[in-house]
Amino acid sequence: MFTDNAKIYIQSGKGGDGHVSFRRELFVPAGGPDGGDGGRGGDIIFEVYDGLNTLTDFRHIRKYVAQNGEPGGKKRCHGADGKDLVIRVPEGTVIRDAESGKVIADMSGENRRMIVLRGGKGGVGNMHFATATMQAPNYAKPGQAGKGLFVRLELKVIADVGLVGFPNVGKSTLLSRVSNARPEIANYHFTTLRPHLGVVDLDDGEGFVMADLPGLIEGASEGVGLGYDFLRHVERTKVLVHVVDAASTEGRDPVEDVRRIQHELEKYDASLLSRPQIIAANKIDSIQPEEGEEYPIDRLRAAFPELPLYPISGVTGEGIRALTYGILEILRGMEREITVFEPEMEISYDSDRNLPYTIERDGAVFVVEGPRIEKMLGYTNLESEKGFNFFQGFLKDSGILEDLEKAGIQDGDTVRMYGHEFDYYK
């Protein structure tokens, strides 16, 4: 089954916690702290795999979690890094944030391998926190949490030319005529339910990639029918070929069909209409105009004088060569680089603000210590009312006051922080 979109959950690994330990060896004076650092959490990496052309696998497995980093150990042992998780996708896959719809990455062109979520940093052990005033720190930094995110994968075909048109107008037949592609062909609506790509080889080694896109119906820009599935694949194509049933074998008006398709394209993305467009008036072998009726090819030329028009027959091959070389002539004057969508959002990560701290009781005094508290006291003026209020807000927001209450502090008790003493009142 062909699948061109899927919603999955990805999560990078958590960093390993730093370790708290001290050297306690015979005949080694002042051994000091020797807690090692935690390992880095695994990254979530997307990689293009040329053997894939569908997102079907993501319909069965929807959760992808990288490995966590190992915690540090004693004797300054570093925890092992978590293994990265590599997710293989077909070329042309666009990764979007499921909530906002913004592009995170486009796996096209030179973007063959990209880190989408970084693993959490490993925490540092207590050996890093030893200072002249704190020679035996009994705290370490925990590992940084991994990042979890729901993303939507969208596969947009990479082709130079896109065949657009209503169902059963002969797009698949045309593609099978000009390339080695063998799409399913039958005389009923929506034969094409997924895009088919074919390489059109011309003289002197020149050529291009053509895509037969699923048939369009009115309201496609609002999601009706195959709507978005059709329009999603138009976005990368450089030239649009309107395939119409010039013989009106099913009672369709070819002029009105082109107008309706242009209307749907404009509603979906107005910039699509700025791309070169060609009309391929198909089924000319079946045209049987009644007496006094205007020839359909003349009607199309009169209605769209600005668009090149090629009468063709997908069945007999008439006009096919002129069409393919007309397309090539347009492509020669264009840049053939793949359209790559630029990222629209940057993944934010938790900062290292949640540094460790300890609360210990020394008689009636509660001693609070930790690197972040020491840093905060270093640049906060507690003599000013504004500075003191700021520091109180920091104690509340960081959860220190809550932890003091859990430790049993009561109104009037003393809190000591690096030479500063405060009376606690709730």
Side-chain angles (χ1 to χ4, degrees), residues 3-7 55 58-59 152-155 229 232:
T3 303
D4 59 7
N5 68 93
K7 181 180 179 181
L55 300 175
F58 298 100
R59 289 298 181 96
R152 181 164 293 282
L153 308 181
E154 295 181 351
L155 178 59
D229 294 331
R232 179 183 302 121

Side-chain angles (χ1 to χ4, degrees), residues 117-267:
L117 290 183
R118 295 196 310 270
K121 296 178 181 178
V124 295
N126 68 333
M127 64 179 180
H128 294 277
F129 297 110
T131 65
T133 57
M134 175 55 64
Q135 297 182 15
N138 59 352
Y139 47 76
K141 183 180 176 182
Q144 191 180 47
K147 182 74 174 181
L149 193 67
F150 280 98
V151 296
R152 181 164 293 282
L153 308 181
E154 295 181 351
L155 178 59
K156 301 175 187 285
V157 299
I158 298 177
D160 299 305
V161 180
L163 302 179
V164 298
F166 283 84
N168 210 26
V169 294
K171 300 189 300 298
S172 298
T173 302
L174 173 59
L175 181 66
S176 66
R177 266 280 180 181
V178 300
S179 73
N180 58 353
R182 293 295 176 263
E184 181 183 357
I185 300 173
N187 189 28
Y188 56 86
H189 288 331
F190 294 112
T191 304
T192 303
L193 297 178
R194 64 185 181 92
H196 293 278
L197 272 68
V199 177
V200 181
D201 292 318
L202 301 176
D203 297 337
D204 301 323
E206 292 190 285
F208 50 85
V209 178
M210 178 181 284
D212 167 22
L213 304 176
L216 185 71
I217 63 174
E218 287 184 88
S221 58
E222 299 168 0
V224 177
L226 297 177
Y228 296 131
D229 294 331
F230 163 83
L231 293 164
R232 179 183 302 121
H233 298 294
V234 178
E235 294 182 82
R236 289 199 202 271
T237 56
K238 301 187 179 305
V239 177
L240 300 178
V241 177
H242 294 268
V243 182
V244 295
D245 179 2
S248 300
T249 57
E250 296 191 359
R252 303 196 62 87
D253 182 352
V255 172
E256 191 61 28
D257 280 358
V258 175
R259 287 176 177 157
R260 287 174 178 171
I261 290 174
Q262 289 182 328
H263 178 67
E264 294 298 333
L265 293 173
E266 183 178 25
K267 287 175 64 178

Side-chain angles (χ1 to χ4, degrees), residues 13 19 23 36 38 44-47 68 72 88 99 108 119 157 159 170 185 230 282 293 332 346 370 383 407:
H19 188 70
R23 292 182 65 183
I44 294 291
I45 301 173
F46 280 80
E47 184 177 67
N68 295 332
R88 301 195 300 185
E99 183 176 353
S108 306
V157 299
I185 300 173
F230 163 83
N282 194 23
E293 186 180 72
R332 281 172 175 165
E346 186 175 343
E383 300 300 325

